[in-house]
Amino acid sequence: MVIYILSFVMCAWAITANASVTIAVITPKAGVHARQGEEIFTGVQHAVDGINAAGGLLKQKVKILPIDDQCSNNIAVSTAQMLTLSKQQNPVLVIGPYCQNAFADVTDTYSRAGMLQIIPTAISVA
């Protein structure tokens, strides 16, 4: 959860005079990775709830834009393209995708748009 809070602070420079700050959370909602997707979303939701309860980020409420990429390469790429062009959604932070969906293309798209991206990965503890 700490990494999410730190990321919110890092992207504060991108916040404009909007009434809220949008964070896109891109995870699978069904299939073999549905549980991991739900855990990621729940962690982000807890962090956002805490930030909003404390007055928001720079006095702006944080809202989550949940996106189901279904662990699909095509959906991941089109989602990245849509989010970087969308003036309505305008997320300042993207968390995801969880699956390695066309990883280079997706990361490059967010990078070229100057969007901060956190890529949740599995960690193996011995």
Side-chain angles (χ1 to χ4, degrees):
M1 183 172 0
V2 172
I3 191 162
Y4 295 122
I5 294 169
L6 292 175
S7 297
F8 296 152
V9 173
M10 289 172 50
C11 69
W13 59 269
I15 299 171
T16 63
N18 294 332
S20 63
V21 177
T22 301
I23 297 170
V25 179
I26 305 166
T27 58
K29 305 257 186 221
V32 298
H33 298 294
R35 181 174 176 206
Q36 291 89 341
E38 181 61 31
E39 289 174 356
I40 292 165
F41 184 83
T42 299
V44 173
Q45 185 65 62
H46 285 304
V48 166
D49 290 346
I51 290 168
N52 286 337
L57 181 62
L58 299 178
K59 299 184 181 182
Q60 296 179 0
K61 291 293 180 184
V62 178
K63 67 179 184 175
I64 299 173
L65 174 63
I67 299 172
D68 179 7
D69 70 354
Q70 302 171 19
C71 283
S72 162
N73 289 343
N74 291 337
I75 294 174
V77 171
S78 64
T79 295
Q81 293 168 342
M82 181 228 20
L83 288 176
T84 59
L85 297 175
S86 174
K87 298 300 179 198
Q88 289 180 323
Q89 302 298 340
N90 200 24
V92 296
L93 172 65
V94 176
I95 300 174
Y98 174 76
C99 299
Q100 293 189 13
N101 308 5
F103 183 75
D105 293 335
V106 170
T107 301
D108 185 54
T109 300
Y110 292 128
S111 176
R112 280 186 280 123
M115 295 174 71
L116 181 62
Q117 178 187 21
I118 295 174
I119 303 160
T121 60
I123 299 173
S124 177
V125 179

